Amino acid sequence: MALPDPAAQGPAPLPAADVLAELEDLRAGDLPTHGGRTLAYVYDSGVAEADELGRRALAMYGSTNGLDPTAFPSLLRMETDLVATARRLFHGSDGVVGTVTSGGTESILLAVKTARDAAAVERPVMVVPTTIHAAFHKAAHYFGVERVAVPVDPVTYRADPAAMAAAIDDHAGRVVLVAASAPSYAHGVIDPIEQIAALTSERGLRFHVDACIGGWVLPWTPDAPAWDFAVEGVTSISADLHKYAYAPKGVSLLLHATPDLRRDQFFASADWPGYTMLNSTVQSTKSGGPLAAAWAVVQYFGDEGYARLVGTALEGTAAVVAGIADVPHLDVVAQPDSTLVAIAADETCDVFTISDLMLEQGWFVQPQMGFAGSPATLHVSLSAATAASVPEFLDALRTAVGTAVERGPIQVDEGLRAAAEAIDPATLDDAAFAGLLQVAGLAGEGGAVEAPAQMAPVNALLDVAPPRLREALLIAFLDHLTR
Ligand SMILES: *Cc1c(COP(=O)(O)O)cnc(C)c1O
């Protein structure tokens, strides 16, 4: 037998210490996950002991496999514990059942798939407000469900129950699911859950409340409107533990009001020569690490801990809202119902420039494009760890706005804007996309694709591009980035 050609072999094995050092180096280029200055993507309790506990649980259970709960009863136990906790917090009756998933998107995918399969109608439809999380768009796309997006109230950005009722009745017999947010990601407001539930229960329809981001906040939010299983007619709820439960990434909950409602979530296949596949989630083999880490962190904080963390995050949010009232040229788009704030700028400056300038000062705020009457904004998710540094955040924001006003709003070239509106992304091939990425500033001279240091010009251009083109360009960007 010929030995492998040494020249064709990969790099020599590395000592563990060197590998760890390289991992550390790689992390240095990322957004910080702790310190409270990254105001999207990550959630920071500011409690070092909880972080350490989560990391240890993650490592301890990283190799376990949730594929078969009879082989790893520890995972079954922790899953039922977390579901029981959520059932209690969300005012569920004894009938409520749930599943731990890998994230909000998986919880939502499963809620939609389950509803579609249970209804078994031709041309299934889901009725959602335009502010519903894009994970529902993904679910609609994956599972062949038509998405009917109903405009929200133009002032409050909350779902409009009368308009939703009309949309439901326009698609009578085909609606498999109605969904709303508690709160919405983009504007941080809670949809009128009670009113929507009244119209879905009257019509015998499923109603999913997306509490991915609010699920571990609202139970401790004073004066939160009713949003959970206390509301008659709510049939399922998604709640992410890797957001405000402050667990490491990779864990969310999907709860159904009864086992009957959940039945179609499961999948089994005995039609092959291997083990009978039996799954409650999209993943089959799955690490027990994120589940164990979430279980550990939820035990550690308990209701008392979360009440304190939520109180802190809410105080921080109120301080941000109050502070912005004193920052010229900025406004909050809607009075937040929990810990999320959407900030808009007037015509003298540009949120995309502000976002770049904030990053230069060590703060990440997430740009959101204008959409259907909602202006371009900066998204801020307030973690408990951020609350103490809100004054510094506001100082940085004031500085950024001052500079952004000096620079003036970004003017997108008229020709480019017209071209963007005329392009049909469906007609573009790989080479055309490569050219467009260069025009958009997402590729350098030689065509090498990389994230630009200054995102503002790119974001401003994407902001004027129709949503379909925006999607296509960003897909091309990711496609090239990962080649
Ligand atoms: C984060 C979020 C999701 C999606 O969750 P992922 O964990 O990112 O997959 C869905 N809905 C809302 C309201 C969210 O905030």
Side-chain angles (χ1 to χ4, degrees):
M1 196 183 81
L3 289 170
D5 171 7
Q9 280 184 25
L14 279 180
D18 292 7
V19 178
L20 283 172
E22 190 166 347
L23 285 172
E24 292 282 353
D25 279 356
L26 285 170
R27 283 284 284 119
D30 293 345
L31 281 174
T33 55
H34 293 85
R37 289 173 157 247
T38 304
L39 303 183
Y41 303 129
V42 300
Y43 304 81
D44 183 5
S45 68
V47 180
E49 193 173 42
D51 295 336
E52 175 62 16
L53 175 64
R55 274 196 298 273
R56 287 182 66 175
L58 190 67
M60 195 184 291
Y61 279 82
S63 307
T64 60
N65 191 344
L67 170 65
D68 182 350
T70 63
F72 295 94
S74 60
L75 302 182
L76 178 62
R77 159 74 197 284
M78 289 188 279
E79 179 169 28
T80 50
D81 278 356
L82 283 171
V83 169
T85 300
R87 177 175 58 200
R88 173 175 61 75
L89 293 175
F90 304 168
H91 302 104
S93 66
D94 290 349
V96 167
V97 287
T99 306
V100 168
T101 72
S102 64
T105 299
E106 190 181 9
S107 293
I108 289 164
L109 288 174
L110 287 169
V112 172
K113 185 207 92 79
T114 305
R116 181 201 67 175
D117 289 356
V121 297
E122 273 180 39
R123 299 192 299 137
V125 162
M126 69 166 92
V127 175
V128 295
T130 47
T131 48
I132 203 80
H133 195 280
F136 285 87
H137 307 192
K138 187 174 184 176
H141 181 72
Y142 276 19
F143 300 129
V145 175
E146 184 187 331
R147 174 172 56 93
V148 173
V150 181
V152 296
D153 182 291
V155 176
T156 65
Y157 295 100
R158 292 195 180 92
D160 173 349
M164 290 193 60
I168 291 167
D169 294 338
D170 281 350
H171 298 86
R174 291 170 56 201
V175 178
V176 300
L177 187 67
V178 175
S181 315
S184 63
Y185 185 83
H187 302 104
V189 297
I190 302 176
D191 288 326
I193 302 300
E194 283 186 297
Q195 290 177 59
I196 299 169
L199 58 96
T200 54
S201 29
E202 208 174 82
R203 292 162 175 81
L205 298 172
R206 285 177 185 242
F207 177 30
H208 181 90
V209 174
D210 179 9
C212 276
I213 204 156
W216 240 254
V217 174
L218 298 179
W220 299 279
T221 300
D223 309 321
W227 65 276
D228 58 13
F229 287 120
V231 179
E232 175 80 37
V234 171
T235 55
S236 55
I237 293 176
S238 48
D240 293 351
L241 298 167
H242 62 199
K243 287 179 181 156
Y244 283 99
Y246 298 112
K249 291 302 180 209
V251 60
S252 169
L253 282 163
L254 171 62
L255 273 69
H256 278 96
T258 67
D260 272 346
L261 286 164
R262 179 175 68 165
R263 179 103 357 103
D264 288 279
Q265 184 187 316
F266 296 106
F267 180 82
S269 181
D271 273 344
W272 76 305
Y275 57 87
T276 297
M277 184 190 257
L278 174 60
N279 296 151
S280 58
T281 59
V282 177
Q283 290 182 305
S284 194
T285 283
K286 55 186 174 187
S287 172
L291 162 61
W295 185 87
V297 172
V298 166
Q299 303 287 316
Y300 174 82
F301 282 126
D303 283 25
E304 235 179 270
Y306 286 115
R308 187 169 42 76
L309 292 167
V310 167
T312 306
L314 288 172
E315 278 167 27
T317 310
V320 165
V321 171
I324 283 170
D326 290 333
V327 180
H329 311 294
L330 294 188
D331 246 323
V332 301
V333 167
Q335 191 61 33
D337 284 332
S338 67
T339 52
L340 317 181
V341 189
I343 306 165
D346 67 15
E347 67 294 339
T348 61
C349 57
D350 204 297
V351 288
F352 305 124
T353 304
I354 297 171
S355 153
D356 279 359
L357 292 165
M358 287 298 281
L359 196 58
E360 285 171 21
Q361 298 178 84
W363 292 92
F364 179 78
V365 291
Q366 188 178 46
Q368 302 187 125
M369 310 278 151
F371 178 79
S374 170
T377 55
L378 299 171
H379 170 99
V380 168
S381 284
L382 254 295
S383 286
T386 304
S389 35
V390 166
E392 288 167 57
F393 169 76
L394 291 168
D395 282 345
L397 200 55
R398 250 179 244 110
T399 307
V401 170
T403 310
V405 170
E406 277 167 29
R407 292 189 191 168
I410 296 173
Q411 303 296 337
V412 175
D413 178 79
E414 262 319 307
L416 217 50
R417 182 194 293 259
E421 268 159 27
I423 291 170
D424 174 3
T427 63
L428 300 179
D429 61 9
D430 202 59
F433 270 118
L436 268 183
L437 287 174
Q438 216 151 352
V439 173
L442 286 165
E445 278 310 307
V449 168
E450 55 183 63
Q454 297 290 323
M455 278 307 293
V458 177
N459 281 329
L461 179 62
L462 290 171
D463 190 45
V464 300
R468 289 301 82 71
L469 179 61
R470 202 185 287 168
E471 292 161 3
L473 265 176
L474 289 173
I475 286 173
F477 173 67
L478 185 59
D479 174 0
H480 282 262
L481 201 59
T482 53
R483 283 184 193 180

